[in-house]
Amino acid sequence: MRRVRAGTVQGILIEGEMRYLSTMITINNVTKTYGNQPSPAVDKLCLEIGEGQIFGFLGPNGAGKSTTIKMIVGILKQDSGTITVEGLDNVKDPVAVKSLIGFVPDEPNLYEKMTAVKYLNFVADIYGVSEAQRKERIEKYAKLFEIDRNLPDELSSFSHGMKQKIAVIAAILHDPKIIILDEPMVGLDPRSSFILKELLSKLAKEGKTVFFSTHVMEVAERLCDRIAIINKGKLVTQGTLEEIKAMKGEENATLEKLFLELTGSDDVLTEAAEEGREEEI
Amino acid sequence: MRLKLVFSLVRGLFSGTSLKDLFKFGQSEGDEKKKKRSLIRKAGGGAGKVLLFLLILMALASYLFMFGLTFNTYEVLGQVLGFGPGLSLSFCSFISFIMLLVFSFMMSIDMLFKGRDLAMLRTMPLTDAEITVSRVIAMYLYMLPLHMIMAVPAVVIYLLYNPFCGATIPGILISVLVLPLVPVCLAALLGALTAKIGGKGPGRLVMQLTLIIVIVVLFSLLQMGKLSNLDPTEAASLEEYSQMGGALGFVASNLESILRVAPMLRWNASLMGSGALTGSLLAVGTTLVLCALCVWGVSSMFYGICSSMESEGKGRSHRAAVEPVYRRSSQLRALLGREWYILRSSSSFMIEIIGESLVPVLILVMWGAMGMLGQMTSGLVGMQGALYFPLIVCGILLLVQGLDMVSATSVSRQGKLFYTDRVFPVDYRVLINAKLLMHLTLAFAPNVLYTIAVTVLFGLGIWDMLWIILVNFIFAVGMCYLGLSLDYTKPNLTWKNPQQAVKNNLNGLKSMGLCAATVLITGGVCVLLILKVDYWPCYIWVPAALTGILVLARRFAMKAASERLC
Ligand SMILES: Nc1ncnc2c1ncn2[C@@H]1O[C@H](COP(=O)(O)OP(=O)(O)O)[C@@H](O)[C@H]1O
Ligand SMILES: [Mg+2]
C-alpha cells in the first residue's frame, strides 16, 4: 500500500521541482553500508534540494539521517550512486564541493583547548575568509547568539549549547551557499533555538540553501519549505507539508501524526490504538 | 580491594588493542569498500606483511644482540673481578629500572588522572584504590615489552654461565616479571606528587620535564665520574684493552654501590646461584612492600588530584587580549599551527615528542653505563682517519632519527576530530605538507644540531657535514612519508586516553622498525661496496638509495591520504 503511494510521491516530486530555479544538491540512488552491518544504512536514496530552500530531513533514530549528511559533506564516501552539489561531483571534485558547504555536526566536537576566537580564526583561515569579513561576521553572530563575552574563553569551559553555537558560527563564517546541519536544535535552550530558527530563515531568504535533519516535528513544520522522511535508510516520502498531507488524504493531520504513521511499523501503531480503545472501555 | 573488578578495569583499558593489530592493514571503521579488494591485492598485502614482520624482527634482533653482548661482558667481568655470579641480571635490572622509571614517569599523570573514562569510572561504586591499582597494572603492562627487550638476553647470558638449580626458575621469573614493578610504582608515586605539587598545566609540565632531565643527568653523572678515567686518545691496542677492562670494572663496582640503594635488584640475582630461595624471597618481599606503599600513596591522593584536574584550565585564557585578534594566514600555516596545537593539547604528546628528542641523550647515557661509550669513542677515534668515517657517523645519526614517531602517530593524535579534515575544503597534499613541516622541525632540526656537535667533536670537514645533513634531510622526508602512509592507512582515532594515540600506537613501532631496517640495509650495501670496490661510491649510493625510498614512500603516503581523506 505504502509503496504505491511512495510511487506517487516521486511523480509529485518531479512537478514540485519545476517550482525552483535550480537544484543545489542532487542525491541520486545513493547507497551506503557500514562494514559491520548486514543491511545498508542508506538505501538507494534519491533527493533533490533546490536553491534557497529550507529542507527538513526527518526520520526516527538510526534512520540514516546522519549517514546521508556525512556523505554530502565528505566524511563518508557512498558505496554507489552520485551526489552533486551545484553540478559538481562530490567524489571527483571534493575540495570545490566542500568549499560551498558549511557544516554543523551532531556533536559539537571542537578543539577544546583553543579559545573560541582562536578556533574561529583557524576555521576562517581554512576557508580563506578575509580579515575584515571574519571580524565582522564573528562579532555579528557572537552578539546574535549572546556569546560575544565568551569569545576569549577556552572552549573546554563552554556548555554543550555554547559549543553548538560556536559550531554554527564556524559553519557560516565563510558565507557558504549551502548550510547543512545535523540535529542543530539538540542542546539549545528555547531562546537560542528560536534565534537559530530565525537565522536559518533569514539565510534562506538571502538565497542560501539550508538542509538539516531533525526529529523535532514542530521545527520542521514551522521552518521547512520541503520535507523528506526516511526510515531504515529508505526514503518514505518527500514534498511540502501540504503535499504530504494531501497524499495521505489527511488534510488536517499534524506532521507528528503523519510522521508516526509513515515511519512506525503498522503493528505498533494498531497495538497502541487498540490499547487506547481498551482504556476507553 | 575486589581483584576481579580491578582486572576487568585493566581489560577495559586495553580493549581494542591487540598484538594481532600489528599486522592488520586497512581500517577498522568499516567505512571503506574492503569487500571489493581483488585477490591479487590480497596476495600483495600478504607479502608486505611478511616483509614488515621480518624487518621488525631484524630490528628487534639487533637490539637483543646488542644487549646480549653487553650483558655477556658484565657476567664475565663480574665473575673475574669477584663480584659474584649474576651480575648480568643485576645490571639488566638496573638499566631497566632507569629506563622504566623515566618512561613510566612520562606517562604516569596521563595514565592515572587524565583518561576520558575517569569521569565515568569515578561515578561508579569503585574505590580510589581499585582504580589506582588498575591504572598502575596497565602502566606495568605497557612497560613490560621494553623490559623484556633487556631481560630476555640477560636471562640467556645468565643461563650460559651459571649452573641450573632449584632457585633458578623462581629467580628468573622474579627478574622478568616482579622487579619491573618497582620503577613503575615509584614513577606512579612521583607522578602523583608532581600532579599534587606542580599546580596547573604548564607548571606541572615543566616540573615533569625537569624531573625527567634530573633523573637522566644524575644517572649520567654517576656513570661519567667513573668513565672519565678512560682516555680514548691512547691508541696502543694492548693498553686500550686493559684500560677498557679497568673501566668496566669501575662501572661494575659503581653499580654495586648504586644497587645498595635498591637492593632487591641485586639480592635476587646474586643469591640465585646458591640454590637457596632467600634472595628471591627477600626481593619479592621488599618489592611488594615498596609497591604497596607507593600505590597506597597514589590512591590517597587520587581523589584530590582528579578533582583539581577537573576544575583547572577551564576559563579565560590569560594571554588572550580582551579584544580578540583577527589575523589571516594561509591554509598551510593554519594547519601547521593546528599540528602544534594538537601536540600541546596533551602533556602526553608533548612528553612523548620531547622524550624523543631526549632519546639520543638517553642512548648515550645507556652506552655510558654499559661502558660502551669508551669502547665506541676509542673505536671511533681509531677510525677517525679512515675515509669511511663520515659514513659511520651518518649511519648513527640516521638510526637515532629513525626512532622518532612524530609522523607515524600524527594522524592518530587528531583523534575523534579527524573528521574535520574531510569536511574542510583542503587538498590532501596541503595537509601532508603541514605534517611534513612539523616532522622536519621536530625530527630533522635537532638532528642538524647533533650533526654540528658531532662535526666539532670529531673534527669532520665542512663538506662531510653538509653531506651528512643532506642525507639526513632526505631520510627525514622519506621517513615522514613512510610514517604518514602507515598512520593514514590505519590510524587509531577512537582513543580515550591520549597515551593510546602515541605509546600504544603500533604504527610508531612499525615505523621505527622500517627506519632501522632502511638504515641497516643501506649500510649493509655500503659495507659491501667498501670491501669490494672503494669507499667513494657510498657517497653516491646512500643519497640515491634514500631518495628512491623517499619517492616510493611519498607515493604510498599520497595514496593512503587521498583514500582516507576524500
Ligand atoms: N560508524 C558506524 N558503524 C556502523 N554502523 C553505523 C555507524 N554509524 C551509524 N551506523 C548505523 O547506521 C544506521 C543509521 O545511522 P545514522 O545515520 O546515524 O542515523 P540517524 O542519524 O538517522 O539517527 C544505524 O542503524 C546505525 O546503527
Ligand atoms: Mg544522527
Side-chain angles (χ1 to χ4, degrees), chain B residues 208-247:
Chain B
Q208 229 172 326
L209 288 172
T210 319
L211 249 173
I212 291 167
I213 293 169
V214 165
I215 295 173
V216 172
V217 167
L218 247 177
F219 174 52
S220 352
L221 284 181
L222 277 172
Q223 296 301 330
M224 293 309 165
K226 303 294 168 186
L227 271 178
S228 58
N229 288 38
L230 187 79
D231 183 1
T233 46
E234 298 202 10
S237 63
L238 206 91
E239 237 173 89
E240 222 173 69
Y241 272 116
S242 65
Q243 224 176 24
M244 216 113 70

Side-chain angles (χ1 to χ4, degrees), chain A residues 34 36-37 41 59-68 70 182-183, chain B residues 29:
Chain A
Y34 287 102
N36 52 355
Q37 302 274 321
N61 293 329
K65 303 184 294 294
S66 297
T67 307
T68 308
K70 283 177 181 168
D182 197 352
E183 316 244 357
Chain B
E29 277 171 68

Side-chain angles (χ1 to χ4, degrees), chain A residues 220-238:
Chain A
E221 205 157 8
R222 255 206 50 210
L223 204 61
C224 297
D225 300 320
R226 281 178 79 84
I227 287 165
I229 299 178
I230 67 165
N231 190 22
K232 293 177 187 155
K234 291 198 172 72
L235 183 69
V236 178
T237 183
Q238 70 164 325

Side-chain angles (χ1 to χ4, degrees), chain B residues 217-470:
Chain B
V217 167
L218 247 177
F219 174 52
S220 352
L221 284 181
L222 277 172
Q223 296 301 330
M224 293 309 165
K226 303 294 168 186
L227 271 178
S228 58
N229 288 38
L230 187 79
D231 183 1
T233 46
E234 298 202 10
S237 63
L238 206 91
E239 237 173 89
E240 222 173 69
Y241 272 116
S242 65
Q243 224 176 24
M244 216 113 70
L248 280 177
F250 266 120
V251 176
S253 67
N254 196 26
L255 184 64
E256 281 285 326
S257 57
I258 296 172
L259 285 179
R260 242 168 260 146
V261 185
M264 58 281 206
L265 300 184
R266 182 79 183 107
W267 286 334
N268 178 48
S270 63
L271 297 179
M272 237 160 92
S274 66
L277 283 170
T278 11
S280 305
L281 288 177
L282 267 173
V284 173
T286 31
T287 302
L288 290 185
V289 170
L290 197 72
C291 292
L293 278 175
C294 288
V295 170
W296 174 77
V298 177
S299 74
S300 66
M301 286 184 269
F302 187 79
Y303 183 80
I305 296 173
C306 283
S307 308
S308 72
M309 294 241 173
E310 196 59 34
S311 51
E312 86 181 19
K314 303 197 169 174
R316 204 163 279 259
S317 113
H318 295 293
R319 262 173 293 167
V322 180
E323 194 63 31
V325 191
Y326 303 100
R327 189 170 299 125
R328 181 172 181 177
S329 46
S330 70
Q331 271 190 345
L332 185 65
R333 268 188 68 176
L335 289 170
L336 188 61
R338 198 230 353 220
E339 294 290 321
W340 270 113
Y341 158 79
I342 292 174
L343 201 67
R344 279 188 298 122
S345 67
S346 153
S347 62
S348 201
F349 297 163
M350 273 296 264
I351 285 184
E352 192 68 30
I353 299 306
I354 294 179
E356 268 160 24
S357 65
L358 267 181
V359 160
V361 183
L362 258 180
I363 289 178
L364 275 182
V365 169
M366 282 261 306
W367 278 344
M370 292 178 176
M372 271 171 72
L373 194 67
Q375 230 164 330
M376 285 276 297
T377 28
S378 58
L380 280 181
V381 170
M383 286 187 288
Q384 222 166 344
L387 291 162
Y388 50 81
F389 181 64
L391 290 173
I392 293 172
V393 173
C394 184
I396 293 171
L397 285 167
L398 290 184
L399 271 178
V400 167
Q401 200 184 160
L403 293 174
D404 212 293
M405 319 198 298
V406 184
S407 293
T409 60
S410 100
V411 182
S412 300
R413 288 197 302 261
Q414 289 181 253
K416 64 175 181 182
L417 277 158
F418 175 77
Y419 81 91
T420 54
D421 280 11
R422 290 178 167 176
V423 175
F424 290 149
V426 181
D427 194 286
Y428 62 91
R429 279 162 285 214
V430 181
L431 283 160
I432 286 199
N433 285 341
K435 289 186 191 296
L436 176 64
L437 281 178
M438 186 73 179
H439 183 100
L440 290 179
T441 349
L442 289 175
F444 172 66
N447 223 264
V448 172
L449 292 182
Y450 294 137
T451 311
I452 294 172
V454 168
T455 308
V456 174
L457 208 67
F458 293 118
L460 291 177
I462 186 91
W463 288 112
D464 288 328
M465 185 184 86
L466 290 179
W467 181 81
I468 292 175
I469 289 178
L470 174 76

Side-chain angles (χ1 to χ4, degrees), chain B residues 1-2 5-6 9 125-135:
Chain B
M1 173 93 40
R2 291 157 294 178
L5 255 176
V6 170
L9 286 179
L126 295 165
T127 64
D128 289 349
E130 281 160 352
I131 300 181
T132 311
V133 170
S134 74
R135 304 256 148 178

